Amino acid sequence: MLWKLLAIILCLKILRPLVTQTMFFDGLIYASVARNMANGIGSPWRPTFSQTLFPLFAEHPPLAMWLQAVAFRAFGDTAWVEKGYSLLTALLSGLIMFGIWRRLTEKDLPLRSAGVLALIFSLIAGRLGWAYANNMLENTLIVFTSSAIWLVVEAYGSPSASKFTSRLPYMIEAGALTFLAIMTKGPVGLFPLAAPILFSICFGRPSVRTATVDTAIVMAVAAGMLALLLLHPEARGYADRYLHYQLFASLAGERGRTSGGWHGLWSLFRVNFFPLLLAALILSTRLYGRHSRPAAECVSPELREKRYRNAAFLFAIGLSASLPLLVSPRLNSFYFNPSIPYFAAAAAMISAPLLLSQIHSFSEVRLRHLNLVLLAGLVAAILSVALAIGKPGSDRIKIEDAQKIADHICPAAGHCQLIVAACGSAGEDWQLHAYLERYYRVSLKKDDLSARGEAPFLLISQGCPIPSSADDYEIHAGLSNYRLFRHL
């Protein structure tokens, strides 16, 4: 029953928006950078988005875009590359979190299969589903960070956890995955370093000393791999650009208008509100049924304590992934995405026993009716995905305007005019620019109208002066928000 509910949420929160043409500006940028790289435009250490915006892209470390570039080389320039990549990261993330859940509940048979509830809670939280539908870097980051934490949990959950030689391969691999997380989105990928010590604190094993040694190994491997990489001059150049123009500028408050601090704490609460609310509602049913507690809920004090320790560990991992973000003056709600699966799993760990016991108490007739309702809902969700395939989506107007512009500036042979001058708000329409670059390789350049240069086409918004030269004429492209002119 819960698996059907998960499938419905997966269809509605990820698949349906993913199969449309609409994509967030950032996701279009990453896909364009990867596509350009695959086609020899720019290079792995000098990637480029367009000729006028991010001609030398250094906004984030390049690993996720490298991986997408490999996919573009394999499958060609199609939007299904970035969409398929996003879906793959979603599926991998779910499998990894399910693996962490199964290891933590290895001796708790009633809860072993309840990891599906943690996945449901994750998808209804914050902007996690939105990120998977929009090709965000956090998708790749979650794969690497969760894999590193899974390795730590596996190492400490094995029968030979007390042996250093047994744990060492796990810690080396966790260090390598932490390095890959850093190469995906910088210092925010460091939080797996906290996993050994948090495990020791929450479970009382291994000793804090042992956990500290293991943390040092993970850190040394990640730092060593980073140091080896920076021996390459081009890698050092990229790192210098990223640190100065993105990371340090963001920390100094020079980029972006959102903020951390109390605003960040409120944002952290909001993104986790729905899982916390559902968990609270499930737990509240205990108040009304204490006199007839189901047998499935009656467990030994040791097992109940283990569940609380599991929840504490998962919650602590979520805090380690989210609290450091609050020091940044630049903060968006989707930055918390790597922490959401852990908060969701903690809420599920506490509420799942009661939910499962309530489900077990249902009569066969009631269960059959619920399954039929969920099956009907799943069929409807799948149908909604099928009907949305290839549709423009919520950005229909932007997508249509981009296509109309390309239709008038690209000759039949398909060699588009690379730069279109733009006046006023048209020059700052980043979403339109992203669609033009991603699908037609057309760049917008904010123009002061005094020097048209090599951009014979001009896109103007309301309030811009209309070209009065006899050499300029308007192209009636039928755009929704702008007017298109050509200079002879």
Side-chain angles (χ1 to χ4, degrees), residues 14-23 79-80 83 133 384-385 387-395 399 439:
I14 297 180
L15 292 180
R16 192 175 188 279
L18 186 64
V19 299
T20 68
Q21 297 177 43
T22 291
M23 184 169 282
W80 295 110
K83 292 179 181 295
S384 73
V385 173
L387 294 175
I389 294 176
K391 297 294 178 61
S394 58
D395 275 353
I399 293 169
Y439 297 122

mmCIF file with all atom_site columns, all heavy atoms in Angstrom, residues 14-23 79-80 83 133 384-385 387-395 399 439:
data_model
loop_
_atom_site.group_PDB
_atom_site.id
_atom_site.type_symbol
_atom_site.label_atom_id
_atom_site.label_alt_id
_atom_site.label_comp_id
_atom_site.label_asym_id
_atom_site.label_entity_id
_atom_site.label_seq_id
_atom_site.pdbx_PDB_ins_code
_atom_site.Cartn_x
_atom_site.Cartn_y
_atom_site.Cartn_z
_atom_site.occupancy
_atom_site.B_iso_or_equiv
_atom_site.pdbx_formal_charge
_atom_site.auth_seq_id
_atom_site.auth_comp_id
_atom_site.auth_asym_id
_atom_site.auth_atom_id
_atom_site.pdbx_PDB_model_num
ATOM 1   N N   . ILE A 1 14  ? 7.816  14.439 -9.401  1.00 0.00 ? 14  ILE A N   1
ATOM 2   C CA  . ILE A 1 14  ? 9.042  14.416 -10.203 1.00 0.00 ? 14  ILE A CA  1
ATOM 3   C C   . ILE A 1 14  ? 8.755  14.170 -11.678 1.00 0.00 ? 14  ILE A C   1
ATOM 4   O O   . ILE A 1 14  ? 9.111  14.977 -12.533 1.00 0.00 ? 14  ILE A O   1
ATOM 5   C CB  . ILE A 1 14  ? 10.014 13.338 -9.666  1.00 0.00 ? 14  ILE A CB  1
ATOM 6   C CG1 . ILE A 1 14  ? 10.441 13.679 -8.235  1.00 0.00 ? 14  ILE A CG1 1
ATOM 7   C CG2 . ILE A 1 14  ? 11.243 13.248 -10.563 1.00 0.00 ? 14  ILE A CG2 1
ATOM 8   C CD1 . ILE A 1 14  ? 11.401 12.667 -7.633  1.00 0.00 ? 14  ILE A CD1 1
ATOM 9   N N   . LEU A 1 15  ? 8.105  13.042 -11.991 1.00 0.00 ? 15  LEU A N   1
ATOM 10  C CA  . LEU A 1 15  ? 7.971  12.649 -13.393 1.00 0.00 ? 15  LEU A CA  1
ATOM 11  C C   . LEU A 1 15  ? 7.136  13.629 -14.208 1.00 0.00 ? 15  LEU A C   1
ATOM 12  O O   . LEU A 1 15  ? 7.518  13.987 -15.335 1.00 0.00 ? 15  LEU A O   1
ATOM 13  C CB  . LEU A 1 15  ? 7.373  11.246 -13.483 1.00 0.00 ? 15  LEU A CB  1
ATOM 14  C CG  . LEU A 1 15  ? 8.271  10.112 -12.989 1.00 0.00 ? 15  LEU A CG  1
ATOM 15  C CD1 . LEU A 1 15  ? 7.557  8.777  -13.140 1.00 0.00 ? 15  LEU A CD1 1
ATOM 16  C CD2 . LEU A 1 15  ? 9.584  10.100 -13.749 1.00 0.00 ? 15  LEU A CD2 1
ATOM 17  N N   . ARG A 1 16  ? 6.000  14.066 -13.669 1.00 0.00 ? 16  ARG A N   1
ATOM 18  C CA  . ARG A 1 16  ? 5.129  14.932 -14.464 1.00 0.00 ? 16  ARG A CA  1
ATOM 19  C C   . ARG A 1 16  ? 5.809  16.243 -14.836 1.00 0.00 ? 16  ARG A C   1
ATOM 20  O O   . ARG A 1 16  ? 5.805  16.628 -16.008 1.00 0.00 ? 16  ARG A O   1
ATOM 21  C CB  . ARG A 1 16  ? 3.819  15.196 -13.720 1.00 0.00 ? 16  ARG A CB  1
ATOM 22  C CG  . ARG A 1 16  ? 2.756  15.848 -14.601 1.00 0.00 ? 16  ARG A CG  1
ATOM 23  C CD  . ARG A 1 16  ? 1.420  16.000 -13.874 1.00 0.00 ? 16  ARG A CD  1
ATOM 24  N NE  . ARG A 1 16  ? 0.391  16.453 -14.783 1.00 0.00 ? 16  ARG A NE  1
ATOM 25  C CZ  . ARG A 1 16  ? 0.229  17.720 -15.147 1.00 0.00 ? 16  ARG A CZ  1
ATOM 26  N NH1 . ARG A 1 16  ? 1.031  18.644 -14.667 1.00 0.00 ? 16  ARG A NH1 1
ATOM 27  N NH2 . ARG A 1 16  ? -0.729 18.056 -15.995 1.00 0.00 ? 16  ARG A NH2 1
ATOM 28  N N   . PRO A 1 17  ? 6.413  16.985 -13.895 1.00 0.00 ? 17  PRO A N   1
ATOM 29  C CA  . PRO A 1 17  ? 7.124  18.196 -14.330 1.00 0.00 ? 17  PRO A CA  1
ATOM 30  C C   . PRO A 1 17  ? 8.382  17.888 -15.132 1.00 0.00 ? 17  PRO A C   1
ATOM 31  O O   . PRO A 1 17  ? 8.783  18.682 -15.996 1.00 0.00 ? 17  PRO A O   1
ATOM 32  C CB  . PRO A 1 17  ? 7.469  18.892 -13.005 1.00 0.00 ? 17  PRO A CB  1
ATOM 33  C CG  . PRO A 1 17  ? 7.405  17.839 -11.964 1.00 0.00 ? 17  PRO A CG  1
ATOM 34  C CD  . PRO A 1 17  ? 6.366  16.868 -12.425 1.00 0.00 ? 17  PRO A CD  1
ATOM 35  N N   . LEU A 1 18  ? 8.992  16.726 -14.883 1.00 0.00 ? 18  LEU A N   1
ATOM 36  C CA  . LEU A 1 18  ? 10.237 16.406 -15.579 1.00 0.00 ? 18  LEU A CA  1
ATOM 37  C C   . LEU A 1 18  ? 10.031 16.181 -17.067 1.00 0.00 ? 18  LEU A C   1
ATOM 38  O O   . LEU A 1 18  ? 10.896 16.537 -17.878 1.00 0.00 ? 18  LEU A O   1
ATOM 39  C CB  . LEU A 1 18  ? 10.863 15.152 -14.945 1.00 0.00 ? 18  LEU A CB  1
ATOM 40  C CG  . LEU A 1 18  ? 12.244 14.741 -15.446 1.00 0.00 ? 18  LEU A CG  1
ATOM 41  C CD1 . LEU A 1 18  ? 13.279 15.804 -15.103 1.00 0.00 ? 18  LEU A CD1 1
ATOM 42  C CD2 . LEU A 1 18  ? 12.648 13.402 -14.845 1.00 0.00 ? 18  LEU A CD2 1
ATOM 43  N N   . VAL A 1 19  ? 8.904  15.616 -17.468 1.00 0.00 ? 19  VAL A N   1
ATOM 44  C CA  . VAL A 1 19  ? 8.695  15.285 -18.883 1.00 0.00 ? 19  VAL A CA  1
ATOM 45  C C   . VAL A 1 19  ? 8.209  16.472 -19.705 1.00 0.00 ? 19  VAL A C   1
ATOM 46  O O   . VAL A 1 19  ? 8.063  16.366 -20.918 1.00 0.00 ? 19  VAL A O   1
ATOM 47  C CB  . VAL A 1 19  ? 7.708  14.112 -19.034 1.00 0.00 ? 19  VAL A CB  1
ATOM 48  C CG1 . VAL A 1 19  ? 8.234  12.875 -18.352 1.00 0.00 ? 19  VAL A CG1 1
ATOM 49  C CG2 . VAL A 1 19  ? 6.322  14.471 -18.496 1.00 0.00 ? 19  VAL A CG2 1
ATOM 50  N N   . THR A 1 20  ? 7.945  17.622 -19.062 1.00 0.00 ? 20  THR A N   1
ATOM 51  C CA  . THR A 1 20  ? 7.587  18.812 -19.821 1.00 0.00 ? 20  THR A CA  1
ATOM 52  C C   . THR A 1 20  ? 8.853  19.528 -20.282 1.00 0.00 ? 20  THR A C   1
ATOM 53  O O   . THR A 1 20  ? 9.965  19.186 -19.890 1.00 0.00 ? 20  THR A O   1
ATOM 54  C CB  . THR A 1 20  ? 6.747  19.780 -18.971 1.00 0.00 ? 20  THR A CB  1
ATOM 55  O OG1 . THR A 1 20  ? 7.560  20.326 -17.918 1.00 0.00 ? 20  THR A OG1 1
ATOM 56  C CG2 . THR A 1 20  ? 5.541  19.062 -18.370 1.00 0.00 ? 20  THR A CG2 1
ATOM 57  N N   . GLN A 1 21  ? 8.689  20.560 -21.099 1.00 0.00 ? 21  GLN A N   1
ATOM 58  C CA  . GLN A 1 21  ? 9.839  21.321 -21.586 1.00 0.00 ? 21  GLN A CA  1
ATOM 59  C C   . GLN A 1 21  ? 10.342 22.333 -20.571 1.00 0.00 ? 21  GLN A C   1
ATOM 60  O O   . GLN A 1 21  ? 11.474 22.801 -20.667 1.00 0.00 ? 21  GLN A O   1
ATOM 61  C CB  . GLN A 1 21  ? 9.462  22.062 -22.875 1.00 0.00 ? 21  GLN A CB  1
ATOM 62  C CG  . GLN A 1 21  ? 9.083  21.164 -24.029 1.00 0.00 ? 21  GLN A CG  1
ATOM 63  C CD  . GLN A 1 21  ? 8.662  21.964 -25.254 1.00 0.00 ? 21  GLN A CD  1
ATOM 64  O OE1 . GLN A 1 21  ? 9.293  22.958 -25.613 1.00 0.00 ? 21  GLN A OE1 1
ATOM 65  N NE2 . GLN A 1 21  ? 7.588  21.535 -25.887 1.00 0.00 ? 21  GLN A NE2 1
ATOM 66  N N   . THR A 1 22  ? 9.523  22.671 -19.603 1.00 0.00 ? 22  THR A N   1
ATOM 67  C CA  . THR A 1 22  ? 9.899  23.683 -18.621 1.00 0.00 ? 22  THR A CA  1
ATOM 68  C C   . THR A 1 22  ? 11.027 23.182 -17.723 1.00 0.00 ? 22  THR A C   1
ATOM 69  O O   . THR A 1 22  ? 11.017 22.050 -17.267 1.00 0.00 ? 22  THR A O   1
ATOM 70  C CB  . THR A 1 22  ? 8.682  24.054 -17.751 1.00 0.00 ? 22  THR A CB  1
ATOM 71  O OG1 . THR A 1 22  ? 7.740  24.759 -18.568 1.00 0.00 ? 22  THR A OG1 1
ATOM 72  C CG2 . THR A 1 22  ? 9.086  24.946 -16.587 1.00 0.00 ? 22  THR A CG2 1
ATOM 73  N N   . MET A 1 23  ? 11.998 24.071 -17.501 1.00 0.00 ? 23  MET A N   1
ATOM 74  C CA  . MET A 1 23  ? 13.084 23.751 -16.566 1.00 0.00 ? 23  MET A CA  1
ATOM 75  C C   . MET A 1 23  ? 13.585 25.057 -15.961 1.00 0.00 ? 23  MET A C   1
ATOM 76  O O   . MET A 1 23  ? 13.621 26.098 -16.625 1.00 0.00 ? 23  MET A O   1
ATOM 77  C CB  . MET A 1 23  ? 14.220 23.016 -17.262 1.00 0.00 ? 23  MET A CB  1
ATOM 78  C CG  . MET A 1 23  ? 15.350 22.577 -16.317 1.00 0.00 ? 23  MET A CG  1
ATOM 79  S SD  . MET A 1 23  ? 16.530 21.438 -17.064 1.00 0.00 ? 23  MET A SD  1
ATOM 80  C CE  . MET A 1 23  ? 15.592 19.904 -16.994 1.00 0.00 ? 23  MET A CE  1
ATOM 81  N N   . ALA A 1 79  ? 17.061 17.141 -24.982 1.00 0.00 ? 79  ALA A N   1
ATOM 82  C CA  . ALA A 1 79  ? 16.668 17.521 -23.625 1.00 0.00 ? 79  ALA A CA  1
ATOM 83  C C   . ALA A 1 79  ? 16.484 16.313 -22.721 1.00 0.00 ? 79  ALA A C   1
ATOM 84  O O   . ALA A 1 79  ? 16.536 16.447 -21.491 1.00 0.00 ? 79  ALA A O   1
ATOM 85  C CB  . ALA A 1 79  ? 15.376 18.335 -23.669 1.00 0.00 ? 79  ALA A CB  1
ATOM 86  N N   . TRP A 1 80  ? 16.287 15.133 -23.315 1.00 0.00 ? 80  TRP A N   1
ATOM 87  C CA  . TRP A 1 80  ? 16.089 13.945 -22.498 1.00 0.00 ? 80  TRP A CA  1
ATOM 88  C C   . TRP A 1 80  ? 17.376 13.517 -21.799 1.00 0.00 ? 80  TRP A C   1
ATOM 89  O O   . TRP A 1 80  ? 17.335 12.690 -20.878 1.00 0.00 ? 80  TRP A O   1
ATOM 90  C CB  . TRP A 1 80  ? 15.536 12.802 -23.338 1.00 0.00 ? 80  TRP A CB  1
ATOM 91  C CG  . TRP A 1 80  ? 14.164 13.106 -23.851 1.00 0.00 ? 80  TRP A CG  1
ATOM 92  C CD1 . TRP A 1 80  ? 13.803 13.356 -25.140 1.00 0.00 ? 80  TRP A CD1 1
ATOM 93  C CD2 . TRP A 1 80  ? 12.960 13.238 -23.074 1.00 0.00 ? 80  TRP A CD2 1
ATOM 94  N NE1 . TRP A 1 80  ? 12.453 13.624 -25.226 1.00 0.00 ? 80  TRP A NE1 1
ATOM 95  C CE2 . TRP A 1 80  ? 11.912 13.564 -23.977 1.00 0.00 ? 80  TRP A CE2 1
ATOM 96  C CE3 . TRP A 1 80  ? 12.672 13.116 -21.725 1.00 0.00 ? 80  TRP A CE3 1
ATOM 97  C CZ2 . TRP A 1 80  ? 10.610 13.766 -23.549 1.00 0.00 ? 80  TRP A CZ2 1
ATOM 98  C CZ3 . TRP A 1 80  ? 11.365 13.322 -21.300 1.00 0.00 ? 80  TRP A CZ3 1
ATOM 99  C CH2 . TRP A 1 80  ? 10.356 13.638 -22.206 1.00 0.00 ? 80  TRP A CH2 1
ATOM 100 N N   . LYS A 1 83  ? 17.216 15.401 -18.474 1.00 0.00 ? 83  LYS A N   1
ATOM 101 C CA  . LYS A 1 83  ? 16.055 14.883 -17.756 1.00 0.00 ? 83  LYS A CA  1
ATOM 102 C C   . LYS A 1 83  ? 16.310 13.446 -17.288 1.00 0.00 ? 83  LYS A C   1
ATOM 103 O O   . LYS A 1 83  ? 15.969 13.073 -16.153 1.00 0.00 ? 83  LYS A O   1
ATOM 104 C CB  . LYS A 1 83  ? 14.817 14.962 -18.642 1.00 0.00 ? 83  LYS A CB  1
ATOM 105 C CG  . LYS A 1 83  ? 14.390 16.409 -18.917 1.00 0.00 ? 83  LYS A CG  1
ATOM 106 C CD  . LYS A 1 83  ? 13.178 16.478 -19.825 1.00 0.00 ? 83  LYS A CD  1
ATOM 107 C CE  . LYS A 1 83  ? 12.793 17.925 -20.104 1.00 0.00 ? 83  LYS A CE  1
ATOM 108 N NZ  . LYS A 1 83  ? 12.340 18.628 -18.888 1.00 0.00 ? 83  LYS A NZ  1
ATOM 109 N N   . ALA A 1 133 ? 13.236 17.477 -10.726 1.00 0.00 ? 133 ALA A N   1
ATOM 110 C CA  . ALA A 1 133 ? 12.570 17.805 -11.984 1.00 0.00 ? 133 ALA A CA  1
ATOM 111 C C   . ALA A 1 133 ? 13.279 18.922 -12.735 1.00 0.00 ? 133 ALA A C   1
ATOM 112 O O   . ALA A 1 133 ? 12.914 19.208 -13.879 1.00 0.00 ? 133 ALA A O   1
ATOM 113 C CB  . ALA A 1 133 ? 11.117 18.214 -11.720 1.00 0.00 ? 133 ALA A CB  1
ATOM 114 N N   . SER A 1 384 ? -1.472 11.130 -16.129 1.00 0.00 ? 384 SER A N   1
ATOM 115 C CA  . SER A 1 384 ? -1.120 12.558 -16.144 1.00 0.00 ? 384 SER A CA  1
ATOM 116 C C   . SER A 1 384 ? 0.309  12.763 -16.618 1.00 0.00 ? 384 SER A C   1
ATOM 117 O O   . SER A 1 384 ? 0.613  13.749 -17.295 1.00 0.00 ? 384 SER A O   1
ATOM 118 C CB  . SER A 1 384 ? -1.308 13.159 -14.749 1.00 0.00 ? 384 SER A CB  1
ATOM 119 O OG  . SER A 1 384 ? -0.305 12.726 -13.847 1.00 0.00 ? 384 SER A OG  1
ATOM 120 N N   . VAL A 1 385 ? 1.210  11.822 -16.275 1.00 0.00 ? 385 VAL A N   1
ATOM 121 C CA  . VAL A 1 385 ? 2.585  11.905 -16.772 1.00 0.00 ? 385 VAL A CA  1
ATOM 122 C C   . VAL A 1 385 ? 2.609  11.715 -18.280 1.00 0.00 ? 385 VAL A C   1
ATOM 123 O O   . VAL A 1 385 ? 3.275  12.463 -19.008 1.00 0.00 ? 385 VAL A O   1
ATOM 124 C CB  . VAL A 1 385 ? 3.474  10.852 -16.071 1.00 0.00 ? 385 VAL A CB  1
ATOM 125 C CG1 . VAL A 1 385 ? 4.864  10.813 -16.715 1.00 0.00 ? 385 VAL A CG1 1
ATOM 126 C CG2 . VAL A 1 385 ? 3.590  11.150 -14.588 1.00 0.00 ? 385 VAL A CG2 1
ATOM 127 N N   . LEU A 1 387 ? 0.289  12.281 -20.462 1.00 0.00 ? 387 LEU A N   1
ATOM 128 C CA  . LEU A 1 387 ? -0.306 13.425 -21.159 1.00 0.00 ? 387 LEU A CA  1
ATOM 129 C C   . LEU A 1 387 ? 0.593  14.650 -21.130 1.00 0.00 ? 387 LEU A C   1
ATOM 130 O O   . LEU A 1 387 ? 0.451  15.555 -21.967 1.00 0.00 ? 387 LEU A O   1
ATOM 131 C CB  . LEU A 1 387 ? -1.661 13.763 -20.540 1.00 0.00 ? 387 LEU A CB  1
ATOM 132 C CG  . LEU A 1 387 ? -2.762 12.714 -20.717 1.00 0.00 ? 387 LEU A CG  1
ATOM 133 C CD1 . LEU A 1 387 ? -4.019 13.111 -19.953 1.00 0.00 ? 387 LEU A CD1 1
ATOM 134 C CD2 . LEU A 1 387 ? -3.078 12.517 -22.203 1.00 0.00 ? 387 LEU A CD2 1
ATOM 135 N N   . ALA A 1 388 ? 1.527  14.710 -20.166 1.00 0.00 ? 388 ALA A N   1
ATOM 136 C CA  . ALA A 1 388 ? 2.399  15.882 -20.041 1.00 0.00 ? 388 ALA A CA  1
ATOM 137 C C   . ALA A 1 388 ? 3.666  15.768 -20.870 1.00 0.00 ? 388 ALA A C   1
ATOM 138 O O   . ALA A 1 388 ? 4.398  16.763 -21.025 1.00 0.00 ? 388 ALA A O   1
ATOM 139 C CB  . ALA A 1 388 ? 2.772  16.094 -18.570 1.00 0.00 ? 388 ALA A CB  1
ATOM 140 N N   . ILE A 1 389 ? 3.958  14.594 -21.425 1.00 0.00 ? 389 ILE A N   1
ATOM 141 C CA  . ILE A 1 389 ? 5.210  14.382 -22.146 1.00 0.00 ? 389 ILE A CA  1
ATOM 142 C C   . ILE A 1 389 ? 5.330  15.359 -23.314 1.00 0.00 ? 389 ILE A C   1
ATOM 143 O O   . ILE A 1 389 ? 4.454  15.435 -24.183 1.00 0.00 ? 389 ILE A O   1
ATOM 144 C CB  . ILE A 1 389 ? 5.308  12.933 -22.659 1.00 0.00 ? 389 ILE A CB  1
ATOM 145 C CG1 . ILE A 1 389 ? 5.411  11.969 -21.480 1.00 0.00 ? 389 ILE A CG1 1
ATOM 146 C CG2 . ILE A 1 389 ? 6.521  12.762 -23.577 1.00 0.00 ? 389 ILE A CG2 1
ATOM 147 C CD1 . ILE A 1 389 ? 5.412  10.507 -21.877 1.00 0.00 ? 389 ILE A CD1 1
ATOM 148 N N   . GLY A 1 390 ? 6.416  16.119 -23.320 1.00 0.00 ? 390 GLY A N   1
ATOM 149 C CA  . GLY A 1 390 ? 6.697  17.046 -24.415 1.00 0.00 ? 390 GLY A CA  1
ATOM 150 C C   . GLY A 1 390 ? 5.924  18.341 -24.383 1.00 0.00 ? 390 GLY A C   1
ATOM 151 O O   . GLY A 1 390 ? 6.157  19.219 -25.227 1.00 0.00 ? 390 GLY A O   1
ATOM 152 N N   . LYS A 1 391 ? 5.000  18.515 -23.426 1.00 0.00 ? 391 LYS A N   1
ATOM 153 C CA  . LYS A 1 391 ? 4.230  19.757 -23.348 1.00 0.00 ? 391 LYS A CA  1
ATOM 154 C C   . LYS A 1 391 ? 5.124  20.886 -22.822 1.00 0.00 ? 391 LYS A C   1
ATOM 155 O O   . LYS A 1 391 ? 6.091  20.642 -22.108 1.00 0.00 ? 391 LYS A O   1
ATOM 156 C CB  . LYS A 1 391 ? 3.018  19.576 -22.435 1.00 0.00 ? 391 LYS A CB  1
ATOM 157 C CG  . LYS A 1 391 ? 2.010  18.553 -22.932 1.00 0.00 ? 391 LYS A CG  1
ATOM 158 C CD  . LYS A 1 391 ? 1.343  19.014 -24.206 1.00 0.00 ? 391 LYS A CD  1
ATOM 159 C CE  . LYS A 1 391 ? 0.353  17.965 -24.731 1.00 0.00 ? 391 LYS A CE  1
ATOM 160 N NZ  . LYS A 1 391 ? -0.739 17.693 -23.791 1.00 0.00 ? 391 LYS A NZ  1
ATOM 161 N N   . PRO A 1 392 ? 4.803  22.141 -23.165 1.00 0.00 ? 392 PRO A N   1
ATOM 162 C CA  . PRO A 1 392 ? 5.659  23.252 -22.710 1.00 0.00 ? 392 PRO A CA  1
ATOM 163 C C   . PRO A 1 392 ? 5.734  23.383 -21.194 1.00 0.00 ? 392 PRO A C   1
ATOM 164 O O   . PRO A 1 392 ? 6.770  23.742 -20.645 1.00 0.00 ? 392 PRO A O   1
ATOM 165 C CB  . PRO A 1 392 ? 4.990  24.485 -23.335 1.00 0.00 ? 392 PRO A CB  1
ATOM 166 C CG  . PRO A 1 392 ? 4.211  23.959 -24.489 1.00 0.00 ? 392 PRO A CG  1
ATOM 167 C CD  . PRO A 1 392 ? 3.748  22.593 -24.077 1.00 0.00 ? 392 PRO A CD  1
ATOM 168 N N   . GLY A 1 393 ? 4.633  23.150 -20.507 1.00 0.00 ? 393 GLY A N   1
ATOM 169 C CA  . GLY A 1 393 ? 4.641  23.309 -19.059 1.00 0.00 ? 393 GLY A CA  1
ATOM 170 C C   . GLY A 1 393 ? 4.397  24.743 -18.635 1.00 0.00 ? 393 GLY A C   1
ATOM 171 O O   . GLY A 1 393 ? 3.884  25.564 -19.408 1.00 0.00 ? 393 GLY A O   1
ATOM 172 N N   . SER A 1 394 ? 4.812  25.081 -17.434 1.00 0.00 ? 394 SER A N   1
ATOM 173 C CA  . SER A 1 394 ? 4.494  26.404 -16.872 1.00 0.00 ? 394 SER A CA  1
ATOM 174 C C   . SER A 1 394 ? 5.232  27.539 -17.560 1.00 0.00 ? 394 SER A C   1
ATOM 175 O O   . SER A 1 394 ? 4.822  28.694 -17.459 1.00 0.00 ? 394 SER A O   1
ATOM 176 C CB  . SER A 1 394 ? 4.814  26.415 -15.373 1.00 0.00 ? 394 SER A CB  1
ATOM 177 O OG  . SER A 1 394 ? 6.180  26.101 -15.142 1.00 0.00 ? 394 SER A OG  1
ATOM 178 N N   . ASP A 1 395 ? 6.324  27.249 -18.258 1.00 0.00 ? 395 ASP A N   1
ATOM 179 C CA  . ASP A 1 395 ? 7.083  28.283 -18.976 1.00 0.00 ? 395 ASP A CA  1
ATOM 180 C C   . ASP A 1 395 ? 6.671  28.365 -20.447 1.00 0.00 ? 395 ASP A C   1
ATOM 181 O O   . ASP A 1 395 ? 7.492  28.725 -21.302 1.00 0.00 ? 395 ASP A O   1
ATOM 182 C CB  . ASP A 1 395 ? 8.583  28.008 -18.875 1.00 0.00 ? 395 ASP A CB  1
ATOM 183 C CG  . ASP A 1 395 ? 9.196  28.574 -17.607 1.00 0.00 ? 395 ASP A CG  1
ATOM 184 O OD1 . ASP A 1 395 ? 8.489  29.293 -16.885 1.00 0.00 ? 395 ASP A OD1 1
ATOM 185 O OD2 . ASP A 1 395 ? 10.382 28.308 -17.348 1.00 0.00 ? 395 ASP A OD2 1
ATOM 186 N N   . ILE A 1 399 ? 9.059  29.655 -23.607 1.00 0.00 ? 399 ILE A N   1
ATOM 187 C CA  . ILE A 1 399 ? 9.500  28.652 -24.567 1.00 0.00 ? 399 ILE A CA  1
ATOM 188 C C   . ILE A 1 399 ? 9.027  29.018 -25.976 1.00 0.00 ? 399 ILE A C   1
ATOM 189 O O   . ILE A 1 399 ? 9.786  28.918 -26.955 1.00 0.00 ? 399 ILE A O   1
ATOM 190 C CB  . ILE A 1 399 ? 8.998  27.263 -24.147 1.00 0.00 ? 399 ILE A CB  1
ATOM 191 C CG1 . ILE A 1 399 ? 9.691  26.825 -22.854 1.00 0.00 ? 399 ILE A CG1 1
ATOM 192 C CG2 . ILE A 1 399 ? 9.218  26.238 -25.249 1.00 0.00 ? 399 ILE A CG2 1
ATOM 193 C CD1 . ILE A 1 399 ? 9.092  25.599 -22.216 1.00 0.00 ? 399 ILE A CD1 1
ATOM 194 N N   . TYR A 1 439 ? 18.491 25.467 -26.353 1.00 0.00 ? 439 TYR A N   1
ATOM 195 C CA  . TYR A 1 439 ? 17.874 24.798 -27.500 1.00 0.00 ? 439 TYR A CA  1
ATOM 196 C C   . TYR A 1 439 ? 18.315 25.345 -28.850 1.00 0.00 ? 439 TYR A C   1
ATOM 197 O O   . TYR A 1 439 ? 18.204 24.640 -29.858 1.00 0.00 ? 439 TYR A O   1
ATOM 198 C CB  . TYR A 1 439 ? 16.350 24.874 -27.380 1.00 0.00 ? 439 TYR A CB  1
ATOM 199 C CG  . TYR A 1 439 ? 15.824 24.138 -26.165 1.00 0.00 ? 439 TYR A CG  1
ATOM 200 C CD1 . TYR A 1 439 ? 15.077 24.790 -25.198 1.00 0.00 ? 439 TYR A CD1 1
ATOM 201 C CD2 . TYR A 1 439 ? 16.103 22.790 -25.976 1.00 0.00 ? 439 TYR A CD2 1
ATOM 202 C CE1 . TYR A 1 439 ? 14.609 24.123 -24.080 1.00 0.00 ? 439 TYR A CE1 1
ATOM 203 C CE2 . TYR A 1 439 ? 15.650 22.113 -24.863 1.00 0.00 ? 439 TYR A CE2 1
ATOM 204 C CZ  . TYR A 1 439 ? 14.899 22.782 -23.909 1.00 0.00 ? 439 TYR A CZ  1
ATOM 205 O OH  . TYR A 1 439 ? 14.458 22.117 -22.800 1.00 0.00 ? 439 TYR A OH  1
#
